């Protein structure tokens, strides 16, 4: 008797919730009706009139932003624990806090547009369509990694998505990126190259060389400065006379964007792509922030206060911003978003477990891919007699 | 597996009395105060002394203000002020060019490149400006006060861009000096000599040894002469030549060889350019065999220069081809580092050092070789050869 009363009460308790969730819920994949959202801050521009603050998006897009950014965040945190467990060796530069730049950029471009970035490339790789399993395998140096385990954290590549990596030397990717744009112009592809670099690399001479040539020849290059305000441990005001990186192009137009707002990034990249295809290079400065230190060997708190880091996390976190937008526009409930995050966590854990089981590369891989196949060059080891291998 | 064991041998380095192999040392006198220091502390001490003794000397580079990523510059900014010890933006070409300019005005510029792997943007400045300044200005100008310090070499997990050994590139440039210390005591003396040397010097510090190597270092101001190699272990059967961190590996190989009855002579080159040919030549004339070992890839490495020169000078005294136990001809790998590195086992098993070095074999081989030469050479030569036979 008591049980039945209990059960009836519980069903009545359950019912309202069930009906409201059915009424309120809109499924991820179906709703593409445009929603207009204003960016957090207006764009600041140099030599060009800025795009409008009103960005068109949709529920589907916002939910995909949320999920993808949550995936990236989770991946970086998992990489952190793997590094501390010594499963990832070498260097590991984490991107958490900066996810909006990778996500917003992807939303504005196609896979035919090329992206090239520095060593902080895990999330950019994911944004380009890279898999979690490939990413973790590469981090742990396994054969199933995207670069066959020979590149490591700093050298993720994905050819079919026009992701040109992944570069260890600071600033070296900028002339390379302009070269890619040059090739795109030659082949009349109607595609652009997004060359990403940091505020530390902005002081490299080769950047200005590349910029001059790109401007001279009207190359479809978009130079994106991911300004997280610290070049390793050096704050921007201590290393740059002019921290207005978007203006540094002088004769090249520039735009300053709130890099923690995925929609602003999307708007800016869309605008930049159109500009680059018609008028040549443009510089985008993404005002962003990284929560971790420069790399895993940097605690990240010797040159900035913990209050600063938590302050940014509370006020400007990119995932929270999209979460608030989703809830405000009634696209999903807080619980559904939390469930999505839990799902993402499971996905990441599964990928890590799978990657841990992968084999390390064969010793013969040490000699492969130095030259093109069949070059026949010999590689000598100790003594030129004991160990001789013909490079495949 | 053997090579992995060889790797582990490098972990604990305690040179000095523990090995009993530092027999010949031309450094400080024993009555002075000494302190047990690791490599980065010794270098730090050297920099403190350099800045103290010359008011027109400056230390700059990326992140040196707070002590540097390897703690080599700790305390300098606090003691000498931000005008003499300061950070630069991230631009190696700019840093070295800047240093050359400062040195051209008669100052001592001690420039730090954060990792030797990043020295390449500055390569043009070093090769085309620093090395040739005195020459092309007819001795009106020079940048002798310039010293470029860079950590080099494998560290176990460095990968492509934190492990390179670029010394060979710089040894090809007349006009600069290339110096590589092997231990804390050497580092302090050599660094002070390099800073005070009136030529531009590129000073590579083995980063592996920054914390690992601990030695008794005299506290006073002392200099170790450049371009003088040191015989750190005497022997009769084979000469081993190396520099930097690789010497610890070679020392292990020597100890192993000793157990098999092979007596090895180990030479630390210290200065690679200009290098001390006489010491190595004298040693090879005594032993008749030479083995060179370095971490950099074997093709075009500095070992090739040593081999060619010794061949020119000691051809008739050599009893076996010169052996080079070096890194492989591949980019510095990630996971494959243990296979790439020239470990003590590779050194031990190289044909010069391994396989029975019995006197009888010397004679038989020697006889065969010299017989051929006898046919072509003068009677005088025969006599000297026959003396050779009965070593």
């Amino acid at each position: 008797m008591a049980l039945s009363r209990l059960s009836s009460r519980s069903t009545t308790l359950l019912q309202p919730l069930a009906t409201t969730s059915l009424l309120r819920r809109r499924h991820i994949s179906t709703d593409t009706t445009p929603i207009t959202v204003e960016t957090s801050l207006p764009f600041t521009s140099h030599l060009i009139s800025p795009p409008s603050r009103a960005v068109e998006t949709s529920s589907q897009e916002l939910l995909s932003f949320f999920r993808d950014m949550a995936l990236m965040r989770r991946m970086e945190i998992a990489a952190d624990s793997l590094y501390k467990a010594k499963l990832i060796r070498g260097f590991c530069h984490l991107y958490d806090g900066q996810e909006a730049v990778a996500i917003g950029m992807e939303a504005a471009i196609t896979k035919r547009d090329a992206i090239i970035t520095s060593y902080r490339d895990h999330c950019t790789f994911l944004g380009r369509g890279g898999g979690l399993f490939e990413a973790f395998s590469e981090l742990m140096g396994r054969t199933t990694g995207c670069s066959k385990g020979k590149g490591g954290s700093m050298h993720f590549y994905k050819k079919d998505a026009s992701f040109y990596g992944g570069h260890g030397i600071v600033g070296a990717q900028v002339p390379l990126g302009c070269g890619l744009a040059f090739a795109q112009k030659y082949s009349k592809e109607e595609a652009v190259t997004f060359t990403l670099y940091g505020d530390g690399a902005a002081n490299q001479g080769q950047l200005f060389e590349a910029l001059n040539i790109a401007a001279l020849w009207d190359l479809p290059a978009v130079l994106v400065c991911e300004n997280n305000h610290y070049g390793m441990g050096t704050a921007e005001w201590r290393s740059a006379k002019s921290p207005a990186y978007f203006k540094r192009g002088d004769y090249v137009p520039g735009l300053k964007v709130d890099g923690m707002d995925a929609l602003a990034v999307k708007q800016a990249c869309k605008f930049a792509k159109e500009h680059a295809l018609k008028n040549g290079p443009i510089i985008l400065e993404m005002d962003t922030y990284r929560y971790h230190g420069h790399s895993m060997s940097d605690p990240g708190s010797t040159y900035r206060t913990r209050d600063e880091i938590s302050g940014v996390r509370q006020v400007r976190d990119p995932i929270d911003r999209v979460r608030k937008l989703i809830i405000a526009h009634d696209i999903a409930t807080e619980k559904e978003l939390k469930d999505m995050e839990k799902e993402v966590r499971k996905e990441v854990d599964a990928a890590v477990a799978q990657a841990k089981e992968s084999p390390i590369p064969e010793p013969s891989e040490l000699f492969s891919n130095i030259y093109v196949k069949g070059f026949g060059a010999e590689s000598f080891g100790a003594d030129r007699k004991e160990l001789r291998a013909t490079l495949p | 597996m053997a090579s992995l064991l060889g790797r582990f041998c490098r972990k604990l380095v305690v040179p000095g009395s523990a090995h009993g192999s530092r027999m010949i040392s031309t450094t400080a006198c024993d009555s002075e105060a000494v302190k047990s220091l690791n490599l980065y502390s010794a270098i730090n001490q050297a920099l403190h002394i350099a800045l103290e003794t010359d008011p027109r000397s400056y230390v700059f580079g990326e992140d040196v203000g707070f002590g540097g990523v390897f703690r080599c510059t700790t305390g300098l900014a606090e003691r000498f002020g931000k005008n003499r010890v300061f950070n630069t933006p991230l631009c190696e070409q700019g840093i070295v060019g800047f240093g050359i300019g400062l040195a051209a005005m008669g100052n001592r510029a001690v420039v730090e490149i954060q990792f030797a792997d990043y020295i390449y943007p500055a390569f043009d400045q070093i090769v085309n400006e620093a090395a040739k300044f005195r020459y092309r200005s007819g001795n009106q100008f020079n940048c002798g006060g310039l010293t470029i310090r860079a950590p080099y070499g494998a560290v176990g997990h460095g990968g492509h861009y934190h492990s390179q050994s670029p010394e060979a590139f710089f040894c090809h440039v007349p006009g600069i000096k290339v110096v590589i210390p092997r231990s804390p005591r050497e580092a302090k003396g050599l660094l002070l000599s390099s800073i005070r040397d009136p030529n531009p010097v590129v000073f590579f510090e083995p980063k592996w040894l920054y914390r690992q190597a601990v030695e008794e270092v005299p506290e006073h101001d002392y200099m170790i002469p450049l371009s003088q190699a040191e015989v750190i272990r005497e022997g009769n059967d084979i000469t081993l030549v190396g520099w930097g961190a690789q010497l610890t590996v070679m020392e292990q190989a020597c100890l192993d060889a000793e157990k098999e009855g092979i007596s090895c002579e180990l030479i630390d080159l210290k200065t690679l350019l200009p290098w001390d040919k006489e010491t190595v030549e004298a040693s090879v004339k005594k032993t008749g065999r030479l083995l060179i070992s370095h971490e950099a890839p074997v093709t075009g490495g500095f070992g090739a220069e040593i081999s060619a020169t010794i061949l020119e000078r000691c051809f008739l005294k050599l009893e076996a081809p010169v052996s080079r136990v070096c890194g492989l001809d591949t980019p510095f790998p990630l996971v494959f580092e243990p296979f790439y590195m020239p470990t003590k086992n590779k050194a031990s098993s190289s044909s010069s050092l391994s396989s029975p070095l019995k006197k009888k074999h010397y004679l038989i081989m020697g006889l065969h070789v010299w017989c051929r030469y006898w046919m072509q050479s003068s009677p005088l030569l025969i006599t000297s050869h026959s003396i050779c036979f009965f070593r």
Side-chain angles (χ1 to χ4, degrees):
Chain A
M1 243 322 221
L3 272 168
S4 61
R5 231 184 297 146
L6 216 79
S7 58
S8 62
R9 205 179 301 157
S10 55
T11 45
T12 49
L13 276 170
L14 279 169
Q15 260 170 356
L17 276 168
T19 44
T20 44
S21 70
L22 276 168
L23 281 172
R24 290 179 63 188
R25 186 172 217 206
R26 274 173 263 183
H27 204 261
I28 291 177
S29 53
T30 52
D31 200 326
T32 50
T33 48
I35 306 173
T36 313
V37 180
E38 273 230 329
T39 62
S40 58
L41 295 168
F43 298 104
T44 330
S45 65
H46 169 71
L47 292 187
I48 201 173
S49 38
S52 106
R53 277 178 79 173
V55 188
E56 241 189 47
T57 179
S58 68
S59 330
Q60 177 190 355
E61 186 168 68
L62 284 172
L63 279 167
S64 78
F65 275 9
F66 181 82
R67 189 171 204 287
D68 292 337
M69 285 203 280
L71 194 74
M72 290 177 178
R73 179 70 60 92
R74 230 347 58 220
M75 176 181 77
E76 295 299 67
I77 294 174
D80 180 316
S81 353
L82 284 173
Y83 191 89
K84 289 179 177 146
K86 297 219 167 167
L87 281 161
I88 299 178
R89 307 286 330 272
F91 296 88
C92 194
H93 306 85
L94 300 176
Y95 198 74
D96 55 323
Q98 297 181 219
E99 298 92 353
V101 176
I103 285 295
M105 194 180 291
E106 284 302 325
I109 61 179
T110 69
K111 291 289 186 287
R112 279 177 46 244
D113 297 308
I115 295 186
I116 186 170
T117 182
S118 68
Y119 43 79
R120 211 177 290 281
D121 57 354
H122 308 162
C123 299
T124 323
F125 171 73
L126 233 60
R128 286 264 90 180
L132 281 170
F133 173 61
E134 279 83 39
F136 283 116
S137 301
E138 187 61 40
L139 286 172
M140 294 195 267
R142 313 294 169 107
T143 345
T144 41
C146 50
S147 307
K148 305 215 185 87
K150 292 164 78 163
S153 158
M154 297 200 275
H155 306 104
F156 280 24
Y157 296 86
K158 193 162 168 57
K159 186 164 184 192
D160 53 4
S162 310
F163 178 49
Y164 288 83
H167 295 266
I169 300 293
V170 170
Q173 72 273 16
V174 181
L176 240 146
C178 292
L180 294 173
F182 194 23
Q184 281 172 331
K185 184 161 181 174
Y186 257 126
S187 47
K188 295 191 169 57
E189 272 177 20
E190 293 298 300
V192 300
T193 301
F194 280 78
T195 307
L196 284 77
Y197 59 96
D199 47 295
N203 300 316
Q204 279 276 318
Q206 45 191 327
L207 198 146
F208 297 97
E209 291 183 17
L211 205 60
N212 179 47
I213 297 178
L216 195 61
W217 296 340
D218 288 322
L219 302 181
V222 180
L223 276 75
V224 180
C225 178
E226 291 182 286
N227 182 9
N228 55 28
H229 307 285
Y230 294 95
M232 207 159 79
T234 307
E236 59 180 345
W237 57 269
R238 286 204 295 126
S239 70
K241 175 73 180 172
S242 158
Y245 297 103
F246 68 108
K247 286 194 190 157
R248 286 247 204 130
D250 184 25
Y251 40 80
V252 172
L255 202 65
K256 183 163 174 165
V257 186
D258 178 5
M260 306 296 255
D261 179 356
L263 290 169
V265 172
K266 174 187 164 187
Q267 181 84 321
C269 290
K270 195 154 145 271
F271 175 76
K273 178 174 173 173
E274 280 158 20
H275 181 274
L277 281 172
K278 281 201 306 284
N279 307 331
I282 177 171
I283 299 182
L284 295 179
E285 182 187 331
M286 303 285 178
D287 186 347
T288 179
Y289 200 83
R290 56 167 161 81
Y291 298 142
H292 268 90
H294 164 76
S295 72
M296 285 306 300
S297 22
D298 171 22
S301 49
T302 50
Y303 46 86
R304 50 184 191 175
T305 58
R306 286 190 204 277
D307 289 336
E308 184 189 303
I309 306 173
S310 50
V312 174
R313 210 188 264 270
Q314 270 158 26
V315 177
R316 296 177 67 202
D317 185 70
I319 302 181
D320 281 342
R321 186 193 300 278
V322 176
R323 190 201 305 267
K324 285 189 192 122
L325 268 174
I326 291 177
I327 293 175
H329 281 90
D330 233 1
I331 300 169
T333 61
E334 181 127 9
K335 183 177 177 306
E336 284 170 335
L337 293 178
K338 281 221 158 43
D339 286 339
M340 209 184 279
E341 282 181 307
K342 280 195 196 127
E343 217 183 285
V344 153
R345 194 175 184 147
K346 273 199 211 113
E347 214 181 297
V348 167
D349 289 339
V352 169
Q354 201 187 357
K356 277 183 189 168
E357 303 296 313
S358 308
I360 57 170
E362 289 292 310
S364 59
E365 285 290 321
L366 174 54
F367 300 107
S368 66
N369 306 127
I370 297 174
Y371 293 102
V372 81
K373 235 173 160 55
F375 194 60
E378 274 195 308
S379 171
F380 301 107
D383 215 13
R384 285 190 171 242
K385 293 156 195 69
E386 296 301 319
L387 178 64
R388 287 172 99 103
T390 308
L391 300 179
Chain B
M1 197 45 84
S3 51
L4 281 168
L5 284 171
R7 282 312 273 149
F8 293 132
C9 263
R10 293 184 70 177
K11 284 214 178 270
L12 298 163
V13 174
V14 186
S17 53
H19 280 311
S21 57
R22 300 284 189 265
M23 297 188 315
I24 301 163
S25 178
T26 50
T27 57
C29 50
D30 296 302
S31 55
E32 293 285 340
V34 292
K35 202 166 163 202
S36 196
L37 291 179
N38 57 23
L39 188 69
Y40 77 74
S41 307
I43 288 174
N44 187 237
Q45 232 182 51
L47 289 171
H48 273 274
I49 292 173
L51 288 175
E52 201 180 289
T53 49
D54 185 355
R56 288 178 72 191
S57 49
Y58 311 94
V59 171
F60 53 95
E62 291 158 26
D63 297 312
V64 300
F66 78 86
V69 287
F70 291 109
R71 327 291 306 135
C72 292
T73 47
T74 17
L76 290 174
E78 288 84 353
R79 188 171 163 199
F80 298 102
K82 294 247 155 81
N83 288 334
R84 290 181 69 193
V85 180
F86 49 91
N87 290 336
T88 56
L90 214 167
C91 37
E92 289 75 20
Q93 187 170 22
I95 293 168
V96 173
F98 197 74
I100 294 172
L102 207 58
M105 290 281 233
N107 302 294
R108 285 195 213 280
V110 184
V111 160
E112 177 177 303
I113 299 289
Q114 201 157 77
F115 280 89
D117 314 57
Y118 309 151
I119 204 170
Y120 305 113
F123 196 67
D124 173 62
Q125 285 289 332
I126 297 171
V127 171
N128 281 330
E129 302 302 320
K132 301 175 169 58
F133 210 166
R134 194 191 288 273
Y135 187 83
R136 68 176 189 241
S137 68
N139 208 16
Q140 281 184 75
F141 290 109
N142 70 81
C143 57
L146 177 67
T147 306
I148 302 166
R149 292 179 39 241
Y152 89 100
V155 75
H157 54 268
H160 314 98
Y161 300 118
H162 296 82
S163 321
Q164 290 178 36
S165 304
E167 72 268 5
F169 295 118
F170 297 96
C171 292
H172 195 51
V173 186
I176 57 170
K177 293 195 174 182
V178 179
V179 179
I180 305 183
R182 70 166 187 269
S183 73
R185 185 199 293 217
E186 295 290 311
K188 180 175 168 182
L190 286 170
L191 183 56
L192 282 168
S193 298
S194 304
I195 293 173
R196 291 164 180 167
D197 190 276
N199 295 293
V201 177
V202 181
F203 189 82
F204 286 118
E205 300 160 2
K207 66 170 88 71
W208 181 272
L209 301 181
Y210 272 141
R211 283 174 208 271
Q212 299 280 1
V214 179
E215 199 176 21
E216 300 283 309
V217 179
E219 298 207 338
H220 65 279
D221 182 352
Y222 67 95
M223 308 207 310
I224 294 178
L226 298 183
S227 296
Q228 269 188 34
E230 185 185 340
V231 181
I232 52 183
R233 193 190 174 83
E234 291 220 349
N236 296 304
D237 292 330
I238 181 169
T239 303
L240 276 76
V241 174
W243 51 87
Q246 191 61 12
L247 282 166
T248 61
V249 175
M250 291 164 82
E251 200 158 18
Q252 292 298 316
C254 288
L255 292 171
D256 285 352
E258 212 172 346
K259 292 190 193 112
E260 290 176 31
I262 300 168
S263 139
C264 304
E265 180 144 303
L266 185 57
I267 298 181
D268 176 11
L269 216 51
K270 297 199 213 189
T271 303
L272 266 61
L273 182 76
W275 62 286
D276 185 355
K277 302 179 181 157
E278 283 69 33
T279 304
V280 180
E281 186 187 335
S283 172
V284 175
K285 282 189 169 154
K286 181 172 85 168
T287 62
R289 285 163 181 253
L290 177 62
L291 187 150
I292 307 160
S293 187
H294 57 72
E295 278 175 31
V298 64
T299 299
F302 195 61
E305 156 65 26
I306 300 175
S307 173
T309 306
I310 292 301
L311 220 62
E312 277 168 19
R313 294 184 173 210
C314 313
F315 181 68
L316 297 176
K317 299 280 189 179
L318 281 172
E319 295 178 20
V322 174
S323 178
R324 291 181 292 160
V325 179
C326 307
L328 303 174
D329 286 329
T330 70
F332 200 97
L334 266 184
V335 291
F336 297 119
E337 189 169 328
F339 298 115
Y340 171 92
M341 294 296 289
T343 56
K344 68 154 186 159
N345 292 317
K346 282 189 190 173
S348 302
S349 64
S350 92
S351 59
S352 288
L353 197 58
S354 73
S355 68
L357 291 182
K358 308 244 184 319
K359 297 284 186 198
K360 197 166 86 171
H361 287 185
Y362 283 174
L363 286 172
I364 292 170
M365 194 176 73
L367 205 65
H368 174 78
V369 171
W370 302 143
C371 271
R372 280 179 29 222
Y373 281 100
W374 174 71
M375 302 294 192
Q376 297 143 25
S377 50
S378 68
L380 202 65
L381 232 52
I382 302 169
T383 347
S384 62
H385 287 173
S386 49
I387 292 170
C388 223
F389 290 166
F390 303 108
R391 279 209 300 128

